[in-house]
């Protein structure tokens, strides 16, 4: 057997149109790559990004087919919901940045759920381990969270229905 090494081939940018996207709250590289229909590894390569860390206000270079440049150039001015809908993934109010807090306040008032306030260093998996019979997936679904890394210190999570 002759194992071969897999290597990344950077995309050809000759003849493509360069667009600049400004990162907004709630964005992540996966979403941005999906909205522009480009590869995640390509997006990282074009912008010298080695992990998944991006910051609000950061400018990202994206190279697109010139025939679709006008279509893609509108993305920078769209709301999060519009971008998700355009990509065929409608955003529910619980996945929209800044909206989760209003839904967690109502759960505090109804009292039918066990609640947990996120502390520094917590992960959804760690929180689930504290409650027998509860999984991280159940906590994510109950709170409408699609990205477990986006929980914040002080956030109140529904854990499970009170018995």
């Amino acid at each position: 057997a002759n194992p071969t090494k897999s290597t990344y081939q950077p995309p050809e940018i000759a003849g493509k149109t360069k667009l600049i996207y400004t990162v907004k709250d709630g964005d992540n590289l996966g979403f941005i790559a999906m909205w522009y229909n480009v590869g995640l590894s390509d997006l990282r390569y074009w912008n010298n990004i080695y992990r998944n860390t991006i910051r609000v206000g950061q400018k990202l270079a994206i190279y697109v087919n010139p025939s679709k440049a006008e279509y893609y150039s509108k993305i920078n001015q769209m709301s999060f919901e519009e971008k998700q809908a355009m990509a065929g993934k409608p955003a529910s109010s619980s996945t929209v940045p800044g909206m989760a807090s209003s839904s967690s306040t109502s759960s505090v008032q109804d009292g039918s759920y066990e609640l947990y306030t996120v502390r520094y260093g917590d992960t959804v998996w760690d929180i689930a381990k504290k409650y027998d019979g509860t999984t991280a997936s159940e906590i994510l679904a109950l709170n409408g969270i699609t990205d477990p890394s986006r929980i914040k210190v002080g956030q109140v999570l529904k854990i499970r229905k009170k018995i």
Side-chain angles (χ1 to χ4, degrees), residues 85-142:
M86 175 199 74
K89 303 211 182 276
S92 68
S93 62
S94 60
T95 61
V96 176
M99 295 292 284
S101 57
S102 62
S103 62
S104 62
T105 347
S106 60
S107 68
V108 173
Q109 295 166 349
D110 76 16
S112 61
Y113 287 96
E114 289 186 48
L115 303 174
Y116 179 85
T117 304
V118 178
R119 298 185 187 113
Y120 180 78
D122 278 345
T123 67
V124 177
W125 188 75
D126 290 332
I127 296 167
K129 285 195 311 186
K130 295 176 184 184
Y131 296 87
D132 287 336
T134 301
T135 66
S137 300
E138 291 168 339
I139 294 172
L140 294 172
L142 194 57

Tab-separated table of all heavy atoms in Angstrom, residues 85-142:
chain	number	residue	atom	x	y	z
A	85	ALA	N	-32.939	32.777	4.825
A	85	ALA	CA	-34.038	32.441	3.923
A	85	ALA	C	-33.530	32.301	2.494
A	85	ALA	O	-33.932	31.395	1.756
A	85	ALA	CB	-35.131	33.501	4.008
A	86	MET	N	-32.620	33.183	2.092
A	86	MET	CA	-32.053	33.143	0.750
A	86	MET	C	-31.314	31.810	0.533
A	86	MET	O	-31.340	31.246	-0.545
A	86	MET	CB	-31.084	34.320	0.559
A	86	MET	CG	-30.340	34.318	-0.748
A	86	MET	SD	-28.883	35.352	-0.676
A	86	MET	CE	-27.793	34.360	0.302
A	87	ALA	N	-30.684	31.299	1.592
A	87	ALA	CA	-29.938	30.043	1.502
A	87	ALA	C	-30.858	28.836	1.694
A	87	ALA	O	-30.400	27.701	1.723
A	87	ALA	CB	-28.823	30.028	2.536
A	88	GLY	N	-32.156	29.096	1.866
A	88	GLY	CA	-33.108	28.005	2.042
A	88	GLY	C	-33.154	27.468	3.456
A	88	GLY	O	-33.609	26.363	3.698
A	89	LYS	N	-32.686	28.256	4.424
A	89	LYS	CA	-32.705	27.839	5.823
A	89	LYS	C	-33.363	28.928	6.655
A	89	LYS	O	-32.676	29.731	7.262
A	89	LYS	CB	-31.290	27.596	6.328
A	89	LYS	CG	-30.532	26.585	5.512
A	89	LYS	CD	-29.560	25.860	6.382
A	89	LYS	CE	-28.753	24.870	5.591
A	89	LYS	NZ	-29.357	23.608	5.398
A	90	PRO	N	-34.703	29.001	6.647
A	90	PRO	CA	-35.371	30.055	7.412
A	90	PRO	C	-34.972	30.014	8.884
A	90	PRO	O	-34.881	28.939	9.466
A	90	PRO	CB	-36.861	29.741	7.259
A	90	PRO	CG	-36.953	28.786	6.124
A	90	PRO	CD	-35.625	28.106	5.986
A	91	ALA	N	-34.716	31.177	9.435
A	91	ALA	CA	-34.294	31.277	10.836
A	91	ALA	C	-35.520	31.429	11.713
A	91	ALA	O	-36.353	32.276	11.470
A	91	ALA	CB	-33.373	32.483	11.014
A	92	SER	N	-35.614	30.587	12.745
A	92	SER	CA	-36.686	30.787	13.717
A	92	SER	C	-36.213	31.867	14.671
A	92	SER	O	-35.027	32.146	14.757
A	92	SER	CB	-36.961	29.486	14.464
A	92	SER	OG	-35.867	29.163	15.289
A	93	SER	N	-37.128	32.455	15.410
A	93	SER	CA	-36.739	33.558	16.288
A	93	SER	C	-35.708	33.130	17.319
A	93	SER	O	-34.934	33.944	17.781
A	93	SER	CB	-37.962	34.132	16.988
A	93	SER	OG	-38.555	33.150	17.799
A	94	SER	N	-35.670	31.843	17.671
A	94	SER	CA	-34.713	31.405	18.683
A	94	SER	C	-33.300	31.278	18.133
A	94	SER	O	-32.357	31.221	18.887
A	94	SER	CB	-35.160	30.076	19.295
A	94	SER	OG	-35.253	29.094	18.301
A	95	THR	N	-33.128	31.215	16.792
A	95	THR	CA	-31.775	31.116	16.244
A	95	THR	C	-31.254	32.470	15.791
A	95	THR	O	-30.128	32.595	15.381
A	95	THR	CB	-31.715	30.149	15.040
A	95	THR	OG1	-32.559	30.647	14.009
A	95	THR	CG2	-32.096	28.748	15.433
A	96	VAL	N	-32.090	33.497	15.884
A	96	VAL	CA	-31.666	34.825	15.464
A	96	VAL	C	-30.854	35.461	16.586
A	96	VAL	O	-31.261	35.417	17.743
A	96	VAL	CB	-32.895	35.708	15.132
A	96	VAL	CG1	-32.476	37.108	14.785
A	96	VAL	CG2	-33.691	35.086	14.008
A	97	PRO	N	-29.692	36.034	16.260
A	97	PRO	CA	-28.872	36.635	17.314
A	97	PRO	C	-29.664	37.669	18.113
A	97	PRO	O	-30.414	38.451	17.535
A	97	PRO	CB	-27.746	37.322	16.535
A	97	PRO	CG	-27.738	36.669	15.205
A	97	PRO	CD	-29.137	36.192	14.945
A	98	GLY	N	-29.509	37.635	19.434
A	98	GLY	CA	-30.168	38.623	20.282
A	98	GLY	C	-31.598	38.288	20.635
A	98	GLY	O	-32.208	38.944	21.456
A	99	MET	N	-32.179	37.265	20.021
A	99	MET	CA	-33.575	36.947	20.283
A	99	MET	C	-33.731	35.897	21.384
A	99	MET	O	-34.779	35.756	21.959
A	99	MET	CB	-34.261	36.418	19.008
A	99	MET	CG	-34.351	37.443	17.899
A	99	MET	SD	-35.455	38.786	18.281
A	99	MET	CE	-37.021	38.004	18.025
A	100	ALA	N	-32.712	35.137	21.666
A	100	ALA	CA	-32.832	34.035	22.619
A	100	ALA	C	-33.180	34.526	24.017
A	100	ALA	O	-33.891	33.867	24.740
A	100	ALA	CB	-31.546	33.226	22.664
A	101	SER	N	-32.706	35.708	24.394
A	101	SER	CA	-32.939	36.182	25.750
A	101	SER	C	-34.414	36.410	26.025
A	101	SER	O	-34.881	36.157	27.107
A	101	SER	CB	-32.151	37.465	26.005
A	101	SER	OG	-32.508	38.442	25.062
A	102	SER	N	-35.181	36.866	25.043
A	102	SER	CA	-36.597	37.120	25.294
A	102	SER	C	-37.346	35.811	25.516
A	102	SER	O	-38.257	35.754	26.310
A	102	SER	CB	-37.225	37.898	24.140
A	102	SER	OG	-37.139	37.145	22.953
A	103	SER	N	-36.956	34.723	24.829
A	103	SER	CA	-37.651	33.465	25.036
A	103	SER	C	-37.275	32.848	26.381
A	103	SER	O	-38.084	32.195	26.997
A	103	SER	CB	-37.358	32.485	23.896
A	103	SER	OG	-35.986	32.195	23.852
A	104	SER	N	-36.059	33.088	26.862
A	104	SER	CA	-35.680	32.498	28.141
A	104	SER	C	-36.345	33.232	29.306
A	104	SER	O	-36.578	32.649	30.336
A	104	SER	CB	-34.158	32.462	28.312
A	104	SER	OG	-33.634	33.748	28.298
A	105	THR	N	-36.693	34.493	29.123
A	105	THR	CA	-37.373	35.217	30.197
A	105	THR	C	-38.758	34.637	30.420
A	105	THR	O	-39.189	34.480	31.543
A	105	THR	CB	-37.550	36.714	29.861
A	105	THR	OG1	-36.752	37.045	28.760
A	105	THR	CG2	-37.191	37.596	31.013
A	106	SER	N	-39.461	34.271	29.358
A	106	SER	CA	-40.798	33.725	29.521
A	106	SER	C	-40.733	32.364	30.215
A	106	SER	O	-41.612	32.021	30.969
A	106	SER	CB	-41.518	33.612	28.180
A	106	SER	OG	-40.800	32.764	27.321
A	107	SER	N	-39.667	31.584	29.974
A	107	SER	CA	-39.570	30.282	30.617
A	107	SER	C	-39.352	30.434	32.117
A	107	SER	O	-39.791	29.607	32.889
A	107	SER	CB	-38.446	29.454	29.997
A	107	SER	OG	-37.204	30.032	30.299
A	108	VAL	N	-38.687	31.496	32.533
A	108	VAL	CA	-38.461	31.727	33.950
A	108	VAL	C	-39.806	31.985	34.625
A	108	VAL	O	-40.052	31.528	35.722
A	108	VAL	CB	-37.511	32.940	34.157
A	108	VAL	CG1	-37.410	33.282	35.622
A	108	VAL	CG2	-36.145	32.643	33.591
A	109	GLN	N	-40.697	32.661	33.942
A	109	GLN	CA	-41.980	33.009	34.531
A	109	GLN	C	-42.937	31.822	34.605
A	109	GLN	O	-43.716	31.719	35.517
A	109	GLN	CB	-42.634	34.144	33.733
A	109	GLN	CG	-41.841	35.429	33.826
A	109	GLN	CD	-42.267	36.462	32.805
A	109	GLN	OE1	-43.015	36.174	31.894
A	109	GLN	NE2	-41.784	37.672	32.968
A	110	ASP	N	-42.892	30.898	33.612
A	110	ASP	CA	-43.888	29.838	33.626
A	110	ASP	C	-43.587	28.752	34.671
A	110	ASP	O	-44.484	28.056	35.101
A	110	ASP	CB	-44.136	29.250	32.233
A	110	ASP	CG	-43.048	28.311	31.743
A	110	ASP	OD1	-42.235	27.850	32.557
A	110	ASP	OD2	-43.021	28.034	30.536
A	111	GLY	N	-42.322	28.610	35.092
A	111	GLY	CA	-41.990	27.717	36.185
A	111	GLY	C	-42.165	26.239	35.917
A	111	GLY	O	-42.070	25.437	36.831
A	112	SER	N	-42.429	25.824	34.676
A	112	SER	CA	-42.645	24.410	34.399
A	112	SER	C	-41.364	23.704	33.972
A	112	SER	O	-41.383	22.515	33.706
A	112	SER	CB	-43.726	24.235	33.332
A	112	SER	OG	-43.326	24.865	32.134
A	113	TYR	N	-40.256	24.424	33.915
A	113	TYR	CA	-38.980	23.832	33.515
A	113	TYR	C	-37.942	23.992	34.617
A	113	TYR	O	-37.944	24.981	35.350
A	113	TYR	CB	-38.430	24.514	32.256
A	113	TYR	CG	-39.178	24.159	31.002
A	113	TYR	CD1	-40.189	24.982	30.532
A	113	TYR	CD2	-38.875	23.003	30.294
A	113	TYR	CE1	-40.888	24.654	29.388
A	113	TYR	CE2	-39.569	22.675	29.144
A	113	TYR	CZ	-40.575	23.498	28.684
A	113	TYR	OH	-41.258	23.172	27.552
A	114	GLU	N	-37.039	23.010	34.704
A	114	GLU	CA	-35.851	23.179	35.522
A	114	GLU	C	-34.936	24.084	34.710
A	114	GLU	O	-34.774	23.883	33.508
A	114	GLU	CB	-35.171	21.835	35.788
A	114	GLU	CG	-35.947	20.961	36.735
A	114	GLU	CD	-35.175	19.702	37.092
A	114	GLU	OE1	-33.983	19.793	37.438
A	114	GLU	OE2	-35.783	18.626	37.004
A	115	LEU	N	-34.336	25.072	35.369
A	115	LEU	CA	-33.502	26.038	34.668
A	115	LEU	C	-32.063	25.963	35.159
A	115	LEU	O	-31.806	25.549	36.290
A	115	LEU	CB	-34.046	27.452	34.879
A	115	LEU	CG	-35.495	27.686	34.461
A	115	LEU	CD1	-35.940	29.074	34.860
A	115	LEU	CD2	-35.650	27.496	32.970
A	116	TYR	N	-31.146	26.376	34.293
A	116	TYR	CA	-29.736	26.417	34.661
A	116	TYR	C	-29.141	27.702	34.102
A	116	TYR	O	-29.365	28.040	32.933
A	116	TYR	CB	-28.992	25.206	34.078
A	116	TYR	CG	-27.518	25.208	34.422
A	116	TYR	CD1	-27.069	24.687	35.625
A	116	TYR	CD2	-26.585	25.772	33.563
A	116	TYR	CE1	-25.722	24.702	35.964
A	116	TYR	CE2	-25.240	25.793	33.887
A	116	TYR	CZ	-24.811	25.254	35.082
A	116	TYR	OH	-23.487	25.285	35.410
A	117	THR	N	-28.413	28.435	34.924
A	117	THR	CA	-27.742	29.652	34.485
A	117	THR	C	-26.299	29.306	34.124
A	117	THR	O	-25.562	28.763	34.951
A	117	THR	CB	-27.778	30.741	35.573
A	117	THR	OG1	-29.153	30.971	35.931
A	117	THR	CG2	-27.155	32.032	35.068
A	118	VAL	N	-25.922	29.586	32.886
A	118	VAL	CA	-24.592	29.242	32.376
A	118	VAL	C	-23.516	30.010	33.138
A	118	VAL	O	-23.632	31.217	33.353
A	118	VAL	CB	-24.498	29.554	30.857
A	118	VAL	CG1	-23.099	29.254	30.334
A	118	VAL	CG2	-25.553	28.773	30.083
A	119	ARG	N	-22.470	29.279	33.546
A	119	ARG	CA	-21.321	29.868	34.233
A	119	ARG	C	-20.105	29.803	33.334
A	119	ARG	O	-20.064	29.025	32.378
A	119	ARG	CB	-21.029	29.093	35.515
A	119	ARG	CG	-22.164	29.148	36.508
A	119	ARG	CD	-21.762	28.454	37.811
A	119	ARG	NE	-22.914	28.380	38.677
A	119	ARG	CZ	-23.511	27.257	39.020
A	119	ARG	NH1	-23.077	26.105	38.595
A	119	ARG	NH2	-24.550	27.283	39.816
A	120	TYR	N	-19.083	30.578	33.677
A	120	TYR	CA	-17.847	30.595	32.913
A	120	TYR	C	-17.266	29.181	32.823
A	120	TYR	O	-17.167	28.480	33.815
A	120	TYR	CB	-16.823	31.543	33.556
A	120	TYR	CG	-15.521	31.596	32.800
A	120	TYR	CD1	-15.408	32.338	31.629
A	120	TYR	CD2	-14.417	30.878	33.235
A	120	TYR	CE1	-14.229	32.368	30.925
A	120	TYR	CE2	-13.229	30.899	32.525
A	120	TYR	CZ	-13.141	31.644	31.363
A	120	TYR	OH	-11.970	31.675	30.651
A	121	GLY	N	-16.912	28.754	31.615
A	121	GLY	CA	-16.302	27.445	31.417
A	121	GLY	C	-17.287	26.329	31.141
A	121	GLY	O	-16.891	25.213	30.811
A	122	ASP	N	-18.590	26.584	31.287
A	122	ASP	CA	-19.596	25.551	31.040
A	122	ASP	C	-19.684	25.205	29.555
A	122	ASP	O	-19.519	26.069	28.698
A	122	ASP	CB	-20.995	26.042	31.466
A	122	ASP	CG	-21.246	25.904	32.953
A	122	ASP	OD1	-20.488	25.186	33.625
A	122	ASP	OD2	-22.218	26.525	33.432
A	123	THR	N	-19.959	23.936	29.286
A	123	THR	CA	-20.345	23.503	27.949
A	123	THR	C	-21.706	22.841	28.088
A	123	THR	O	-22.094	22.422	29.194
A	123	THR	CB	-19.349	22.479	27.358
A	123	THR	OG1	-19.429	21.271	28.121
A	123	THR	CG2	-17.918	23.017	27.337
A	124	VAL	N	-22.431	22.729	27.008
A	124	VAL	CA	-23.746	22.095	27.055
A	124	VAL	C	-23.594	20.643	27.529
A	124	VAL	O	-24.391	20.143	28.314
A	124	VAL	CB	-24.455	22.163	25.681
A	124	VAL	CG1	-25.789	21.445	25.726
A	124	VAL	CG2	-24.658	23.612	25.263
A	125	TRP	N	-22.531	19.986	27.099
A	125	TRP	CA	-22.289	18.609	27.493
A	125	TRP	C	-22.072	18.510	29.008
A	125	TRP	O	-22.622	17.639	29.666
A	125	TRP	CB	-21.083	18.066	26.723
A	125	TRP	CG	-20.853	16.608	26.902
A	125	TRP	CD1	-21.568	15.584	26.342
A	125	TRP	CD2	-19.839	15.988	27.700
A	125	TRP	NE1	-21.053	14.369	26.742
A	125	TRP	CE2	-19.989	14.591	27.576
A	125	TRP	CE3	-18.825	16.482	28.505
A	125	TRP	CZ2	-19.171	13.688	28.231
A	125	TRP	CZ3	-17.993	15.576	29.156
A	125	TRP	CH2	-18.175	14.198	29.014
A	126	ASP	N	-21.273	19.431	29.561
A	126	ASP	CA	-21.040	19.441	31.016
A	126	ASP	C	-22.347	19.669	31.781
A	126	ASP	O	-22.591	19.041	32.815
A	126	ASP	CB	-20.052	20.542	31.411
A	126	ASP	CG	-18.631	20.261	30.945
A	126	ASP	OD1	-18.271	19.081	30.806
A	126	ASP	OD2	-17.902	21.239	30.703
A	127	ILE	N	-23.165	20.581	31.277
A	127	ILE	CA	-24.439	20.884	31.936
A	127	ILE	C	-25.338	19.651	31.923
A	127	ILE	O	-25.936	19.285	32.937
A	127	ILE	CB	-25.136	22.087	31.263
A	127	ILE	CG1	-24.272	23.356	31.429
A	127	ILE	CG2	-26.540	22.296	31.829
A	127	ILE	CD1	-24.687	24.522	30.549
A	128	ALA	N	-25.415	18.964	30.776
A	128	ALA	CA	-26.264	17.767	30.655
A	128	ALA	C	-25.832	16.677	31.634
A	128	ALA	O	-26.674	15.960	32.183
A	128	ALA	CB	-26.238	17.253	29.220
A	129	LYS	N	-24.517	16.558	31.869
A	129	LYS	CA	-24.018	15.534	32.793
A	129	LYS	C	-24.515	15.756	34.214
A	129	LYS	O	-24.590	14.820	35.000
A	129	LYS	CB	-22.480	15.511	32.801
A	129	LYS	CG	-21.882	14.870	31.572
A	129	LYS	CD	-20.408	14.521	31.747
A	129	LYS	CE	-19.588	15.640	32.305
A	129	LYS	NZ	-18.146	15.358	32.356
A	130	LYS	N	-24.861	16.997	34.561
A	130	LYS	CA	-25.324	17.307	35.920
A	130	LYS	C	-26.764	16.846	36.158
A	130	LYS	O	-27.243	16.847	37.291
A	130	LYS	CB	-25.236	18.818	36.175
A	130	LYS	CG	-23.804	19.332	36.157
A	130	LYS	CD	-23.766	20.839	36.327
A	130	LYS	CE	-22.322	21.327	36.208
A	130	LYS	NZ	-22.176	22.747	36.453
A	131	TYR	N	-27.474	16.515	35.083
A	131	TYR	CA	-28.884	16.136	35.188
A	131	TYR	C	-29.068	14.733	34.617
A	131	TYR	O	-28.942	14.532	33.402
A	131	TYR	CB	-29.765	17.138	34.434
A	131	TYR	CG	-29.712	18.531	35.012
A	131	TYR	CD1	-28.734	19.443	34.606
A	131	TYR	CD2	-30.636	18.933	35.964
A	131	TYR	CE1	-28.676	20.712	35.145
A	131	TYR	CE2	-30.594	20.207	36.507
A	131	TYR	CZ	-29.609	21.091	36.090
A	131	TYR	OH	-29.561	22.360	36.629
A	132	ASP	N	-29.366	13.757	35.482
A	132	ASP	CA	-29.570	12.377	35.033
A	132	ASP	C	-30.685	12.315	33.992
A	132	ASP	O	-31.735	12.946	34.150
A	132	ASP	CB	-29.936	11.473	36.215
A	132	ASP	CG	-28.748	11.204	37.118
A	132	ASP	OD1	-27.605	11.312	36.620
A	132	ASP	OD2	-28.968	10.890	38.307
A	133	GLY	N	-30.442	11.534	32.945
A	133	GLY	CA	-31.474	11.316	31.927
A	133	GLY	C	-31.637	12.455	30.945
A	133	GLY	O	-32.568	12.455	30.141
A	134	THR	N	-30.755	13.457	30.979
A	134	THR	CA	-30.841	14.583	30.055
A	134	THR	C	-29.602	14.582	29.167
A	134	THR	O	-28.496	14.384	29.638
A	134	THR	CB	-30.916	15.913	30.833
A	134	THR	OG1	-32.053	15.883	31.686
A	134	THR	CG2	-31.053	17.095	29.886
A	135	THR	N	-29.818	14.798	27.866
A	135	THR	CA	-28.679	14.837	26.941
A	135	THR	C	-28.433	16.267	26.472
A	135	THR	O	-29.328	17.124	26.538
A	135	THR	CB	-28.937	13.965	25.698
A	135	THR	OG1	-30.016	14.551	24.944
A	135	THR	CG2	-29.283	12.529	26.073
A	136	ALA	N	-27.234	16.495	25.974
A	136	ALA	CA	-26.889	17.810	25.421
A	136	ALA	C	-27.822	18.147	24.254
A	136	ALA	O	-28.274	19.284	24.119
A	136	ALA	CB	-25.432	17.824	24.967
A	137	SER	N	-28.144	17.147	23.447
A	137	SER	CA	-29.038	17.374	22.291
A	137	SER	C	-30.409	17.851	22.739
A	137	SER	O	-31.006	18.723	22.106
A	137	SER	CB	-29.192	16.091	21.475
A	137	SER	OG	-27.951	15.676	20.995
A	138	GLU	N	-30.912	17.273	23.824
A	138	GLU	CA	-32.226	17.676	24.345
A	138	GLU	C	-32.193	19.131	24.826
A	138	GLU	O	-33.129	19.889	24.582
A	138	GLU	CB	-32.665	16.753	25.479
A	138	GLU	CG	-32.998	15.350	25.015
A	138	GLU	CD	-33.150	14.349	26.158
A	138	GLU	OE1	-32.628	14.600	27.276
A	138	GLU	OE2	-33.779	13.309	25.929
A	139	ILE	N	-31.116	19.507	25.511
A	139	ILE	CA	-30.996	20.887	26.002
A	139	ILE	C	-30.935	21.858	24.820
A	139	ILE	O	-31.598	22.899	24.820
A	139	ILE	CB	-29.755	21.038	26.913
A	139	ILE	CG1	-29.946	20.219	28.202
A	139	ILE	CG2	-29.495	22.512	27.238
A	139	ILE	CD1	-28.709	20.132	29.083
A	140	LEU	N	-30.153	21.508	23.802
A	140	LEU	CA	-30.038	22.373	22.621
A	140	LEU	C	-31.402	22.549	21.955
A	140	LEU	O	-31.803	23.663	21.613
A	140	LEU	CB	-29.030	21.788	21.628
A	140	LEU	CG	-27.576	21.749	22.102
A	140	LEU	CD1	-26.715	20.974	21.111
A	140	LEU	CD2	-27.032	23.149	22.299
A	141	ALA	N	-32.119	21.450	21.758
A	141	ALA	CA	-33.423	21.502	21.091
A	141	ALA	C	-34.434	22.307	21.907
A	141	ALA	O	-35.178	23.130	21.361
A	141	ALA	CB	-33.950	20.085	20.863
A	142	LEU	N	-34.457	22.085	23.214
A	142	LEU	CA	-35.402	22.766	24.097
A	142	LEU	C	-35.193	24.286	24.078
A	142	LEU	O	-36.135	25.052	24.244
A	142	LEU	CB	-35.235	22.221	25.522
A	142	LEU	CG	-36.314	22.526	26.540
A	142	LEU	CD1	-37.671	22.040	26.051
A	142	LEU	CD2	-35.981	21.837	27.850
